Amino acid sequence: MKRILFVLFLFCAYSGSQTAVAQSQENRVIVNADQAEYEISEHIYGQFSEHLGRGIYGGIWVGEDSDIPNTEGYRTDVLKALQELEIPNIRWPGGCFADEYDWRDGIGPRSERPKTVNTHWGMVIEDNSFGTHEFLRLTELLGAEPYISANVGSGTPAEMQDWIEYMTFDGDSELANLRRKNGREEPWDIKFFGIGNESWGCGGNMTADYYADLYRRYQTYAKDYSGNELYKIASGWSNDEYDWTETVMREAHWMMDAISLHYYTIPGPSWGNKGPSTGFGEDLYFDGLQASLELDRFIEGHDNRMDKFDPEQRVALAVDEWGVWTDPLPGSTPGFLEQQNSMRDALIASLSLDILNSHADRVRIANIAQTVNVLQAMILTDGEQMIKTPTYHVFHMYKVHQNAMLLPIDVESTEYSHNGESIPSVSTTVSRDDDGVIHITASNTHASESQEVAFDLRGTDVDDVIPGRLLTADSVNSINTFEDPDNVSPVSFEDATLEDGTLTMTLPPRSIVVLGLE
Ligand code: AHR
């Protein structure tokens, strides 16, 4: 399946008030409910938590002796908020950090673990108090699958193999017994296993040919112990670097389950000027949304190269780092990648998730960067305080699509134009869950105009609208703060009617809606 056809109708400029409704029926979505082919893997809704800044330490892990209320050392407030997201998988320990991580530093009594230097993220001391046991216990508490990213850049195949044996072997080996001595009798089930991260950059600065050889070598020693079955993910490139994907696929596609793709949305003009995460105007709002839509083109490009060697789509594309990346917050520690999270970023999340869902045939795992306090975070903390970001709410609204069947759609959308550029005003995902309920998530990207959208529901006889929720805000740059934590948060949504198989809803400016049909 290729990207859903966007038919852009010419938009007649409307000269009315700021929140005027665009002309009726200009936004139309045909839903072919009887033509579902692909399931939206729950793993598209994965998270990424790296040893970076306050992502783990302070954000998730505070230790049992902390004054901050905790459960076995994990912040209780953060744990509860994350549990509500029903996270399917979490990627750890990096990122760039993974390719300098020695797993042996993070096991055994915490007081005896070595202090090391996190050379990638601020040269800060890593006390290794959060290691393998702590991460895997976190995944248990969240009901998520672990996604371990192994060290190929500076580690050896033997170290990697030992780590797998330590975690997954249930026999009488020295490493399995060491795990038991460290408090874990049963082996863990480890599914997702990344072999290197950005091996073209921070993960070793390799060429595609060299990495392809290393991938083949390392994956040989990524063994399945005691019935565990690893799902092996090769390191891919970012954006439109398709040749890397082609080389690695050509040399090793039959030895992998997935190859990764990273894509960060930069609202500003360049990496050196990414733009602030607060206080921006409509220019950086529009540019951010427009940049996020590039993900669709990049997935198509990598998918096409993968098709050359894998037309049956056995190998998945793992978009295991994505999200908005802005300039760091003024006054924050360099290298900690701290940024606020606005209504714009909520829309970047919904547009990106719509793109990922629409490629459910090839994209079967994705991980937003990152869970807490880093980049496009779900949660921000400050000492004892915690807030849920607008992006958190999008993930909460979109969880209805996890493991649901993607319903094919044709979208006719008006355009949101700004500074001579245009993007579609409407983006949507429609899916049907195991109980037969159809869920629609729909976004209005327009900064100042409402959109009426008609969903023409074909091949289904739904007759009831289940009231939904709406996320919007006073302004494109609205944020949640510790003083005003619910400034951007969902409210109930009932502005939808179902008549003769057509659902009509009105989306306020800069908004996201979820609702059900049965
Ligand atoms: O998410 C931050 C960093 O971005 C990751 O460590 C790296 O893989 C990517 O470049």
Side-chain angles (χ1 to χ4, degrees):
M1 174 197 55
K2 297 299 163 196
R3 176 71 176 137
I4 292 142
L5 179 68
F6 268 100
V7 183
L8 297 178
F9 273 13
L10 280 180
F11 182 72
C12 304
Y14 190 87
S15 56
S17 74
Q18 283 266 297
T19 57
V21 177
Q23 281 181 3
S24 164
Q25 302 302 307
E26 286 184 338
N27 299 297
R28 185 159 172 263
V29 181
I30 298 171
V31 180
N32 293 302
D34 52 354
Q35 292 174 24
E37 262 189 281
Y38 300 103
E39 186 179 275
I40 300 171
S41 169
E42 62 179 332
H43 291 293
I44 286 177
Y45 291 81
Q47 295 283 332
F48 171 37
S49 299
E50 181 168 11
H51 285 238
L52 194 176
R54 299 185 302 119
I56 302 274
Y57 298 113
I60 293 175
W61 176 257
V62 287
E64 284 125 335
D65 300 332
S66 173
D67 291 340
I68 296 177
N70 67 84
T71 307
E72 301 175 35
Y74 309 91
R75 292 181 70 118
T76 305
D77 52 357
V78 171
L79 208 50
K80 182 168 175 296
L82 294 180
Q83 279 162 343
E84 286 165 14
L85 284 188
E86 296 172 26
I87 295 169
N89 74 80
I90 309 180
R91 180 170 182 253
W92 174 87
C96 297
F97 180 81
D99 277 294
E100 59 181 30
Y101 184 59
D102 183 344
W103 68 273
R104 289 175 201 267
D105 292 342
I107 58 169
R110 285 187 204 113
S111 58
E112 292 170 23
R113 295 185 193 175
K115 287 193 167 59
T116 51
V117 185
N118 187 336
T119 66
H120 212 89
W121 302 117
M123 286 285 180
V124 295
I125 293 298
E126 162 67 59
D127 72 4
N128 286 295
S129 55
F130 190 93
T132 300
H133 291 248
E134 290 77 15
F135 170 64
L136 292 171
R137 179 67 183 139
L138 174 67
T139 62
E140 287 175 345
L141 290 168
L142 296 179
E145 299 266 11
Y147 173 176
I148 299 267
S149 195
N151 181 344
V152 170
S154 66
T156 66
E159 287 162 356
M160 183 196 74
Q161 183 173 5
D162 285 353
W163 196 10
I164 300 169
E165 182 184 326
Y166 180 88
M167 293 186 286
T168 61
F169 187 52
D170 70 359
D172 182 25
S173 77
E174 192 174 319
L175 284 167
N177 289 332
L178 180 59
R179 180 191 70 235
R180 293 187 185 99
K181 185 171 158 231
N182 288 334
R184 174 75 186 198
E185 180 60 34
E186 297 299 317
W188 289 282
D189 290 332
I190 305 295
K191 182 173 178 174
F192 300 112
F193 198 75
I195 301 195
N197 167 75
E198 296 193 355
S199 302
W200 43 268
C202 65
N205 282 307
M206 303 174 199
T207 63
D209 286 311
Y210 182 67
Y211 172 72
D213 278 351
L214 273 196
Y215 176 82
R216 292 167 61 123
R217 178 176 170 216
Y218 275 68
Q219 74 79 34
T220 306
Y221 303 99
K223 305 274 188 191
D224 288 337
Y225 294 88
S226 307
N228 187 65
E229 281 181 39
L230 293 176
Y231 180 100
K232 298 175 190 173
I233 303 173
S235 168
W237 201 302
S238 302
N239 304 5
D240 55 357
E241 184 50 56
Y242 306 128
D243 289 349
W244 175 282
T245 298
E246 180 160 346
T247 302
V248 177
M249 283 292 289
R250 185 181 61 239
E251 301 302 327
H253 67 89
W254 64 98
M255 299 177 178
M256 68 180 73
D257 296 294
I259 184 165
S260 70
L261 165 66
H262 291 178
Y263 177 57
Y264 285 102
T265 294
I266 309 297
S270 66
W271 276 92
N273 179 10
K274 297 186 274 298
S277 58
T278 59
F280 52 84
E282 191 172 349
D283 287 358
L284 283 176
Y285 168 73
F286 180 90
D287 292 352
L289 266 50
Q290 187 179 43
S292 73
L293 296 174
E294 290 279 77
L295 176 61
D296 187 52
R297 183 166 67 83
F298 299 149
I299 292 175
E300 286 269 0
H302 289 281
D303 188 10
N304 288 340
R305 298 295 182 101
M306 294 171 78
D307 277 347
K308 286 189 175 184
F309 311 99
D310 179 38
E312 297 82 25
Q313 299 179 306
R314 185 193 65 77
V315 180
L317 189 62
V319 186
D320 57 15
E321 286 186 31
W322 68 270
V324 61
W325 192 327
T326 68
D327 291 338
L329 280 172
S332 62
T333 310
F336 278 20
L337 310 188
E338 297 198 5
Q339 59 192 52
Q340 248 292 359
N341 194 289
S342 61
M343 188 63 219
R344 175 196 63 191
D345 304 336
L347 279 157
I348 287 174
S350 67
L351 300 184
S352 301
L353 288 171
D354 287 340
I355 291 168
L356 295 167
N357 291 338
S358 76
H359 288 282
D361 57 335
R362 183 67 94 175
V363 177
R364 297 194 282 274
I365 177 166
N367 302 78
I368 189 166
Q370 299 193 5
T371 316
V372 185
N373 290 333
V374 177
L375 298 178
Q376 190 170 357
M378 308 301 108
I379 286 172
L380 301 177
T381 67
D382 182 14
E384 273 206 20
Q385 304 183 88
M386 179 208 91
I387 50 173
K388 295 171 180 171
T389 65
T391 298
Y392 174 96
H393 295 304
V394 174
F395 270 73
H396 201 282
M397 293 163 80
Y398 266 68
K399 64 185 180 180
V400 292
H401 295 311
Q402 291 189 20
N403 290 337
M405 293 302 290
L406 176 71
L407 301 188
I409 50 176
D410 288 326
V411 181
E412 297 173 354
S413 174
T414 55
E415 290 183 356
Y416 163 34
S417 302
H418 183 72
N419 285 344
E421 303 272 326
S422 297
I423 61 172
S425 313
V426 173
S427 173
T428 182
T429 296
V430 186
S431 72
R432 184 177 45 234
D433 70 14
D434 283 350
D435 298 325
V437 178
I438 292 180
H439 286 106
I440 297 179
T441 47
S443 303
N444 175 9
T445 61
H446 205 295
S448 54
E449 289 180 0
S450 301
Q451 303 295 326
E452 186 173 282
V453 192
F455 288 82
D456 178 354
L457 300 153
R458 301 184 181 174
T460 177
D461 55 3
V462 288
D463 50 21
D464 229 2
V465 183
I466 306 168
R469 284 182 303 147
L470 162 75
L471 187 71
T472 187
D474 291 345
S475 136
V476 293
N477 63 22
S478 295
I479 56 175
N480 291 334
T481 61
F482 296 104
E483 295 72 39
D484 193 359
D486 297 321
N487 185 37
V488 187
S489 60
V491 294
S492 66
F493 178 75
E494 294 181 13
D495 200 359
T497 52
L498 179 60
E499 218 179 300
D500 297 334
T502 299
L503 175 83
T504 308
M505 64 169 90
T506 303
L507 303 173
R510 51 187 187 278
S511 72
I512 302 157
V513 156
V514 60
L515 57 70
L517 299 166
E518 59 185 357

